[in-house]
Amino acid sequence: PFGLLVLLPMAIALESGDLRVYLSLRAPDQLLRVGLLASVGGVISFVLLLLELRVVQLSSGLTLSIAGIFKELLTVAASAVFLGDQLTSYNIGGLLLCLVGIYFYNVIKRRDEREAQEPPWPQRSPSRTPKGFALSAAVSTVSSTSSQGQSLCSQTALLKKS
């Protein structure tokens, strides 16, 4: 909206003469088709902007930038394949450098995501506790009648609660 407010007065000032000539030479159905095509382009551009904002919301601005670089790589490759543009060795080297950079970015990002999901220290699960550890501690406390045995008994109770 802000861009429209800024650019519309300049467009009217610079293009009004050519626009009058164009409108006078076209039939109403042609003008309707041109208007619809321009509207479709505007809607597609708006949806693309919303999708870009969603990408930034879900990941980061860097990820959006990397996606933009990959899009440019596809554009250059498509122009070489479909339009017959000639690529120099510098162009090909630049494309390969970009692809390698995108690859390593994804490798590092995935590694960081895995590390973020793993706990910082190994968790001890009940299945890893040696069988009979709790039983042998309980037997030793029952068989001991000294004050040391009573202390061990209270320690065993604390172990079982935690």
Side-chain angles (χ1 to χ4, degrees):
F2 181 73
L4 178 69
L5 292 175
V6 171
L7 295 176
L8 188 61
M10 286 191 298
I12 290 173
L14 296 173
E15 304 288 337
S16 62
D18 293 336
L19 181 62
R20 268 192 230 117
V21 171
Y22 179 81
L23 293 175
S24 66
L25 296 175
R26 303 291 180 241
D29 65 325
Q30 288 177 329
L31 295 176
L32 181 64
R33 274 190 263 149
V34 168
L36 285 175
L37 285 174
S39 298
V40 167
V43 168
I44 289 172
S45 176
F46 180 71
V47 169
L48 180 64
L49 178 65
L50 290 178
L51 291 174
E52 288 175 356
L53 291 174
R54 184 67 177 157
V55 167
V56 170
Q57 182 183 23
L58 292 175
S59 58
S60 69
L62 181 60
T63 300
L64 180 65
S65 179
I66 297 292
I69 292 169
F70 186 70
K71 180 193 71 116
E72 294 298 325
L73 289 173
L74 291 178
T75 303
V76 170
S79 71
V81 170
F82 296 117
L83 302 177
D85 288 351
Q86 297 295 321
L87 298 178
T88 66
S89 59
Y90 289 115
N91 298 132
I92 294 170
L95 292 174
L96 291 175
L97 182 65
C98 288
L99 283 174
V100 168
I102 291 171
Y103 172 76
F104 281 117
Y105 168 75
N106 285 318
V107 167
I108 292 169
K109 185 176 177 185
R110 290 223 166 74
R111 185 193 66 196
D112 290 346
E113 287 173 356
R114 274 193 309 255
E115 288 176 358
Q117 291 176 354
E118 294 176 1
W121 57 85
Q123 299 291 325
R124 192 164 187 128
S125 65
S127 63
R128 288 184 164 178
T129 305
K131 297 183 185 223
F133 172 78
L135 182 62
S136 64
V139 168
S140 68
T141 57
V142 170
S143 63
S144 175
T145 57
S146 67
S147 63
Q148 187 180 17
Q150 290 173 354
S151 169
L152 186 59
C153 184
S154 63
Q155 289 175 0
T156 305
L158 288 175
L159 281 175
K160 287 185 178 181
K161 287 183 183 178
S162 61

